[in-house]
Amino acid sequence: MGKFNKKLEELKENNKNPFSVPEGYFDSFPQKLQERISSESPEYYWFARLFQVVKQQFALGFMIVAFAVIAITTVNVVLSDKAESVIDSDLYTRIIEVDASEFSEQHFIDVLLNDEKEIEEQKQKESDLYIYYLVDEDIDYGTLIDEL
Amino acid sequence: MSEYSDKELLELFKDIEKRNFAFNLIVRKYQQKLYWHIRKIVIKHEDADDILQNTFIKVWKSLVGFREDSKLYTWLYRIATNESLTFLKQQKTKYLMPIVDYENQLKETLESDEYFNGDEILRNLHKAILGLPEKQRIVFNMKYFEEMKYDDMSEILKTSVGALKASYHHAVKKIEKYFTED
């Protein structure tokens, strides 16, 4: 292996690069490359150059727009919260008028009386239950009161 | 032309007014080194020319964002190497070729290449190199022909120095075997 390495080194020293290129290739290459770059996507390079020039102004403008958007959004949110808490008086009147007009005075009276009647019935049922219990257990109500 | 260091060239490139000038200097400084690097991988001049153009177009598009974490020289070599490997991969898939057939085709190209002026021993050496696996071939070319430092090769190929040394050792052994069998 060491012998072969030496042979390789000798081979390299005694020989120049065996590959070659067409005449004038390296002289014309930069120009050829420049033409290809220009033709490939001119709009990209135009945009890149423009972007480099206006980058700082663009950043400043973007900051102002972003600040304005945040400020407007914040103000809108605050105002909308207030608006939700206050019911428009016209709307309120209209709701009362429309909804209340569907019920007569007698209807309200009937509903109230009916509610009172139900409460009375409930009380009656409960006192009946107490009486039945006292009767079943043979407890004298007068004695109970005395003991208490 | 050679009075500009890589650092100076990058500084010049940052100035939008001098960008084209700086890029032109970079191309002139590195075109030959990169061309020979590519040529030894793809063998054919026309293919090497295409890959070299693609390499510099990529450099032109990406140089604005170059962060200088690596040296310009190693960065350029990395792009050229990747472009060459991508080309080889495309060629193989394009013609649905097994690796051995593609190696044979490259050897035939070497036989008939009008831009190959080496004698029989050199032709055999390059045929032996073409028989190596792609990455090993690149390592051998960089070390033997371009006399590149292992540290630079490590940065270009993103491989450890130890692995590169081992790769070069195996490559030399395979070439020796080719010569003894031939």
Side-chain angles (χ1 to χ4, degrees):
Chain A
M1 174 103 179
K3 203 177 169 185
F4 186 71
N5 264 326
K6 207 175 171 184
K7 193 181 169 185
L8 276 177
E9 287 306 313
E10 282 171 10
L11 198 63
K12 193 167 66 175
E13 281 166 18
N14 297 334
N15 288 282
K16 288 179 181 174
N17 183 2
F19 293 100
S20 63
V21 290
E23 216 179 315
Y25 171 71
F26 290 119
D27 295 329
S28 61
F29 182 80
Q31 181 64 31
K32 192 167 73 175
L33 181 71
Q34 204 64 50
E35 282 166 12
R36 194 175 150 189
I37 286 173
S38 308
S39 66
E40 212 163 66
S41 55
E43 64 285 344
Y44 168 79
Y45 299 109
W46 175 84
F47 180 76
R49 283 180 74 92
L50 182 73
F51 184 72
Q52 285 296 322
V53 173
V54 299
K55 197 161 72 177
Q56 285 183 335
Q57 289 87 333
F58 185 76
L60 186 69
F62 182 77
M63 274 173 61
I64 293 167
V65 170
F67 179 76
V69 168
I70 291 167
I72 290 166
T73 311
T74 310
V75 168
N76 276 345
V77 168
V78 170
L79 287 178
S80 66
D81 281 352
K82 275 187 182 175
E84 275 172 18
S85 64
V86 179
I87 300 170
D88 184 26
S89 59
D90 287 345
L91 184 66
Y92 186 72
T93 312
R94 187 172 159 71
I95 289 166
I96 297 287
E97 280 174 2
V98 171
D99 289 348
S101 65
E102 287 176 11
F103 304 100
S104 64
E105 194 179 335
Q106 187 55 48
H107 184 85
F108 286 121
I109 293 165
D110 289 346
V111 168
L112 287 169
L113 287 174
N114 197 33
D115 281 352
E116 280 176 11
K117 199 177 169 185
E118 277 178 5
I119 292 164
E120 283 297 318
E121 278 174 0
Q122 186 66 28
K123 277 183 179 174
Q124 187 61 47
K125 272 183 188 174
E126 282 173 4
S127 55
D128 285 349
L129 276 173
Y130 295 140
I131 291 164
Y132 291 143
Y133 173 77
L134 293 169
V135 169
D136 288 344
E137 296 294 320
D138 199 20
I139 298 168
D140 179 25
Y141 182 70
T143 315
L144 186 70
I145 294 295
D146 288 341
E147 283 181 7
L148 287 172
Chain B
M1 189 165 63
S2 58
E3 66 259 31
Y4 287 99
S5 67
D6 285 356
K7 207 175 174 183
E8 286 168 332
L9 287 171
L10 288 171
E11 281 304 312
L12 265 179
F13 190 84
K14 281 175 192 165
D15 185 346
I16 195 154
E17 295 300 319
K18 294 172 186 167
R19 183 158 292 173
N20 278 332
F21 172 65
F23 183 68
N24 204 280
L25 289 178
I26 292 170
V27 172
R28 285 181 189 281
K29 186 175 178 180
Y30 285 107
Q31 60 173 348
Q32 293 206 32
K33 281 180 186 171
L34 293 181
Y35 173 84
W36 294 122
H37 176 66
I38 296 165
R39 178 77 184 271
K40 285 189 184 83
I41 300 172
V42 299
I43 304 299
K44 208 174 166 185
H45 164 71
E46 287 76 14
D47 296 337
D49 178 41
D50 277 348
I51 296 165
L52 186 66
Q53 286 184 45
N54 293 342
T55 300
F56 277 116
I57 287 169
K58 238 175 197 175
V59 170
W60 169 253
K61 286 179 181 172
S62 334
L63 201 55
V64 178
F66 181 61
R67 289 179 298 168
E68 297 177 49
D69 292 340
S70 56
K71 286 183 256 177
L72 177 66
Y73 151 78
T74 53
W75 185 65
L76 293 173
Y77 262 85
R78 192 158 71 242
I79 295 174
T81 308
N82 288 341
E83 284 293 310
S84 306
L85 288 173
T86 307
F87 172 83
L88 291 182
K89 205 174 174 183
Q90 281 170 352
Q91 290 299 106
K92 280 176 208 163
T93 50
K94 194 173 166 184
Y95 301 109
L96 299 168
M97 275 179 179
I99 295 166
V100 179
D101 282 356
Y102 189 69
E103 279 169 12
N104 288 334
Q105 202 189 53
L106 286 177
K107 283 176 189 172
E108 279 171 25
T109 308
L110 192 68
E111 274 308 332
S112 58
D113 193 354
E114 59 174 314
Y115 297 115
F116 187 86
N117 316 308
D119 57 15
E120 201 52 36
I121 301 171
L122 272 182
R123 199 181 291 274
N124 279 337
L125 173 64
H126 280 279
K127 277 185 184 175
I129 295 166
L130 283 174
L132 299 172
E134 273 165 18
K135 293 259 170 77
Q136 219 171 68
R137 187 149 67 94
I138 291 168
V139 171
F140 183 83
N141 284 340
M142 287 167 115
K143 190 67 201 159
Y144 180 71
F145 292 113
E146 298 165 46
E147 296 178 341
M148 205 178 271
K149 288 176 193 165
Y150 277 118
D151 286 336
D152 289 341
M153 285 166 67
S154 170
E155 210 177 310
I156 293 163
L157 301 172
K158 297 284 172 204
T159 310
S160 71
V161 171
L164 290 172
K165 283 181 180 172
S167 192
Y168 182 73
H169 177 79
H170 287 302
V172 173
K173 274 182 93 173
K174 281 180 191 170
I175 293 166
E176 185 182 13
K177 197 179 169 194
Y178 181 90
F179 271 92
T180 49
E181 282 175 358
D182 196 37

